[in-house]
Amino acid sequence: MSDFANALDSIVTRSFGNGLKTLSCPFSRFGRFDIGARQTILTVQSSEKLAEPFAVVISPLPFTEESAKALGSLTVKYIVSPNLVHFMGINDWKEKFPDAKIIGSDLLQSKAKSLKHKVDIPLSEAHGNKLLTPADLRISDIAEGELKFVYFANAQSRELVVYHGPSKSIATADMLFNMPCIEQYSASSKTPNNGFFLSWILKTFNAYDNLNKSLPAMMISDKKKKYKGGIKALSSLDFDKIIVCHGETMVIDAKKRFLFIFRDHL
């Protein structure tokens, strides 16, 4: 069972400027693996004349007072489930913003039994492994250059990566880990405790360790050809930050590390 017990009292909010904020907290997978969790809030300009900017929320945590503070006066128009498992906070956010539209895999509805709401903008295999604009998803109220998407339809967890132009960032769920999860436990009295063997394994899931290449490679090696289009699409984007859900946000040589990790797929 996934465990947020006491974690939401230890949220760390970080602002990167240019409309990018993250909220990070402790998180245990199956109540045992301490890997941290992170939600991304993007400020997005509207394509509609005189319309106010709005928020896009990616991998939402349960809604808290810290969520409200991070949003400020922004309304939420889109909630992104970046794969088939990062949907746990969506019900909370839909209660607060019932008009917000959910973006996610077309399999999410059937896989996420606890999700009470329909996926308004489903991505199918036809959307896979290429660069997508909001228009490709029939979204008309996002200004040009604000967001782009790459959907890995062949990934077991159906990974959806979101690019935010103003902050030069990409946000991903489980496509990349960057352990250990220091920031996510920095406001908590709890420290990650994965035992010696698991801790050693998780240390190799550090994007600045050459061994990290093994994690994405293992995930996609059997479908390398199908993934290449998506990896090439991401590599074509101008980004200098990678927001990961588990581990440290990559702000140093992020593009360089991405190209190294996925070099066999380019």
Side-chain angles (χ1 to χ4, degrees):
M1 181 178 180
S2 299
D3 186 9
F4 272 112
N6 303 317
L8 300 178
D9 295 328
S10 306
I11 290 177
V12 176
T13 301
R14 184 177 180 184
S15 178
F16 295 84
N18 296 311
L20 169 63
K21 290 182 180 180
T22 59
L23 281 73
S24 306
C25 71
F27 176 76
S28 298
R29 189 64 172 160
F30 307 117
R32 180 178 177 183
F33 305 118
D34 296 335
I35 56 176
R38 179 171 292 109
Q39 160 187 290
T40 300
I41 298 178
L42 303 176
T43 300
V44 173
Q45 300 298 319
S46 175
S47 62
E48 299 171 353
K49 193 173 182 179
L50 303 180
E52 294 293 323
F54 53 85
V56 173
V57 179
I58 304 167
S59 193
L61 302 173
F63 195 92
T64 65
E65 184 178 331
E66 293 301 319
S67 307
K69 288 180 182 177
L71 280 174
S73 61
L74 292 173
T75 191
V76 177
K77 279 202 171 184
Y78 297 96
I79 303 169
V80 180
S81 179
N83 66 15
L84 297 179
V85 295
H86 284 252
F87 63 86
M88 286 179 283
I90 290 180
N91 290 335
D92 269 13
W93 285 78
K94 278 290 285 186
E95 285 183 18
K96 297 290 183 180
F97 301 95
D99 294 330
K101 294 181 178 179
I102 298 172
I103 303 174
S105 168
D106 60 357
L107 297 180
L108 184 62
Q109 205 79 54
S110 61
K111 298 289 185 180
K113 301 300 183 183
S114 62
L115 184 62
K116 300 175 182 177
H117 307 276
K118 73 180 181 71
V119 177
D120 303 284
I121 303 170
L123 285 87
S124 68
E125 191 168 348
H127 293 107
N129 304 304
K130 58 189 175 184
L131 196 62
L132 301 168
T133 66
D136 293 322
L137 303 182
R138 299 185 179 180
I139 297 173
S140 60
D141 57 355
I142 294 178
E144 185 176 353
E146 290 285 303
L147 295 183
K148 290 185 172 68
F149 307 86
V150 177
Y151 178 54
F152 290 88
N154 305 108
Q156 185 174 0
S157 57
R158 303 301 193 272
E159 298 289 321
L160 174 61
V161 181
V162 182
Y163 170 74
H164 184 231
S167 64
K168 293 187 176 181
S169 65
I170 60 173
T172 178
D174 296 332
M175 185 178 179
L176 272 174
F177 284 47
N178 189 26
M179 308 302 285
C181 40
I182 298 169
E183 180 182 53
Q184 292 160 325
Y185 283 81
S186 62
S188 174
S189 58
K190 175 180 170 59
T191 56
N193 181 17
N194 291 307
F196 175 79
F197 181 67
L198 182 59
S199 295
W200 180 82
I201 292 175
L202 288 175
K203 281 181 181 179
T204 70
F205 294 172
N206 179 295
Y208 296 92
D209 188 318
N210 289 350
L211 288 176
N212 184 267
K213 178 180 171 291
S214 64
L215 177 61
M218 283 190 296
M219 292 170 63
I220 67 178
S221 60
D222 60 329
K223 297 175 181 175
K224 185 184 290 188
K225 289 182 180 179
K226 292 183 178 180
Y227 272 84
K228 277 191 172 182
I231 298 296
K232 286 183 177 180
L234 286 175
S235 69
S236 72
L237 297 170
D238 180 18
F239 63 87
D240 56 21
K241 289 175 284 295
I242 302 177
I243 313 301
V244 297
C245 285
H246 308 298
E248 295 299 283
T249 298
M250 297 173 62
V251 294
I252 300 173
D253 295 330
K255 180 73 173 283
K256 180 180 178 181
R257 295 309 301 177
F258 177 90
L259 294 174
F260 174 80
I261 291 167
F262 290 101
R263 66 189 184 277
D264 289 345
H265 305 272
L266 293 170

